Amino acid sequence: MKRVFLNAFALAALALAVVSCDQKTTTEHASSTITKEAEAANKVAEENNPAATIANGKFEFTEDQFDFGTINEGDVVTHIFKFKNVGDGPLLITNARASCGCTLPEWPKEPIAVGQEGKITVKFNSKGKPNKQRKRISIYANTEPELSTLHITANVIPKKLEKAGPIK
């Protein structure tokens, strides 16, 4: 009796496995077909509606790093990074951040049209920043990739400490 029950159980499990595999194959095939149909529909939509594709701006910097050379601690120096939009659409800078509070980037808030030029002004305050300095400016815009990076460097000569005189 046990043997008949086990054989029946094994037969039922095998039948279930075959049906499950068959359903899985059918589901995968249907999913694959739907994906191919969706891709084809998207391609037709893009071809018939050029506005459906997103036009991005693209930076073309004249330089992406600048060395101020040797400066004295406490000097505030400025450099202008110039760029041109060589993308397919207007270039919009959404944010610019420096790696340190001693560096302040200023950027255009209005979109830069294709073919037009713009500038990012970077001010570096060397107060309390002696020796070799390297700062990164992260520019976020509607570009691919979204993040562009600029760098400034300077060799800051430390202030000389004033000699202490007699205490009165």
Side-chain angles (χ1 to χ4, degrees):
M1 176 84 167
K2 284 184 182 177
R3 184 172 282 195
V4 172
F5 179 72
L6 288 175
N7 285 340
F9 180 74
L11 186 58
L14 180 62
L16 183 60
V18 169
V19 170
S20 295
C21 288
D22 190 38
Q23 286 179 344
K24 183 177 179 184
T25 303
T26 303
T27 304
E28 287 174 354
H29 177 70
S31 175
S32 173
T33 303
I34 291 170
T35 303
K36 288 178 183 176
E37 289 173 356
E39 287 174 1
N42 285 339
K43 185 175 180 182
V44 169
E46 287 175 2
E47 289 172 357
N48 291 333
N49 183 9
T53 58
I54 298 173
N56 288 331
K58 182 178 180 182
F59 285 112
E60 183 179 85
F61 284 99
T62 54
E63 60 186 343
D64 61 0
Q65 48 189 312
F66 182 78
D67 185 358
F68 288 108
T70 301
I71 62 175
N72 293 313
E73 184 177 352
D75 288 351
V76 177
V77 291
T78 302
H79 182 70
I80 297 173
F81 288 95
K82 295 179 182 179
F83 65 88
K84 183 175 184 178
N85 178 7
V86 295
D88 298 329
L91 174 63
L92 180 61
I93 300 172
T94 56
N95 197 7
R97 287 188 283 190
S99 58
C100 176
C102 62
T103 306
L104 179 67
E106 294 177 11
W107 66 94
K109 307 301 188 262
E110 67 281 345
I112 306 297
V114 175
Q116 296 299 307
E117 295 180 353
K119 62 183 179 177
I120 297 172
T121 303
V122 177
K123 291 182 184 177
F124 170 64
N125 184 347
S126 65
K127 181 180 179 183
K129 302 290 181 191
N131 305 315
K132 186 70 175 172
Q133 299 293 314
R134 179 172 169 86
K135 306 300 177 191
R136 179 183 65 247
I137 299 92
S138 300
I139 311 296
Y140 297 89
N142 66 329
T143 56
E144 187 59 44
E146 177 186 21
L147 173 64
S148 298
T149 307
L150 304 172
H151 291 95
I152 59 168
T153 55
N155 184 28
V156 181
I157 298 174
K159 266 188 175 178
K160 293 182 180 175
L161 296 176
E162 294 181 23
K163 293 183 180 178
I167 300 176
K168 295 183 183 183

